[in-house]
Every structure is written in C-alpha cells, then in structure tokens.
Amino acid sequence: EAPAAAERALYLGEPSPAAGGAVSVPVVLDGADGVLSGTVRLDYAAAQPALDAAVVYYGTSPDSASLATLRSPVLGLYGGDDARVNATIEPAKQVLGPLGRRYDVHLYDGAGHGFLRQQTGREGANTKATKDAWARTVAFLRANLKPRK
C-alpha cells in the first residue's frame, strides 16, 4: 500500500513549465505492468484547476466528489471490450454533464483494455484503436492547450 500511495502522491504533484510555454505532466507508473492508471490521471486533472486539457486512455473514473472538481475538458479513449472500465463512463458523464464539463468519449469496437501496450492481437482492433486514438489525442491537445505566459 505504501508504494502505491507514494506513487499517487508524486503523480498528483504540481506540473512544471515545459518548453514552449506548455505544462508538463509528471508521469508515474501504476502497477507492475508499467501502465498508468486512468483513475490516477483523472484524479490528477481534478486536482489541477489550471489544467487546460486531460486525455485518459482506458481508466476507471474516480468518485463523484473528485469528478465534480474537474475543470478541464477531458478526452476519454476506451476499448470497447473493457466492461469494467466502461461501466464507469456513464456515471462520470452524469456528474460532469450537469456541471457543463466537456467529456468526449470514444469507444473502439473490439479493442481491449490496454490497447496501446497490446497493439497486436484482437484481430487488428487494438492497432486500429491505437492509430485513431493517437490522432484524436494530438488534435484534442492542439485544440485545447493554451500557451503559458
């Protein structure tokens, strides 16, 4: 429990300015497989009121209280065959929608949890999801990130 708590605390730390005026996000891996928890990413976004945008790949949504503090627009990219994670999408929409928060969700048919790290298999669904998700990520960040002064 202590290492996970330490990683979470580090991840929720303050971002530092990056080249070009953008804000860099500290990255801490959650779990032995080296996958960053989507829950932690949304918790991070909720803890950063000045964050311009957040992108979440296949992570469960945090609790309603955390979601209610979220200010930035969120792009959620999820494998269609990920019932555990996908069961948290609608409840998150129900919290964020009435608050006027943007939560763009894309489900990829046939893709599973962790499609970025398991691009082979699933008869090409994970590869197809990865290509589309990456293009959406870049476009979303370009549209939403603001230069820092």
Side-chain angles (χ1 to χ4, degrees), residues 33-51:
D33 62 359
V35 176
L36 186 59
S37 165
T39 304
V40 173
R41 286 176 276 177
L42 271 179
D43 279 346
Y44 177 83
Q48 300 298 321
L51 198 66

Side-chain angles (χ1 to χ4, degrees), residues 4-13:
E7 288 177 355
R8 185 177 172 85
L10 176 60
Y11 189 77
L12 294 175

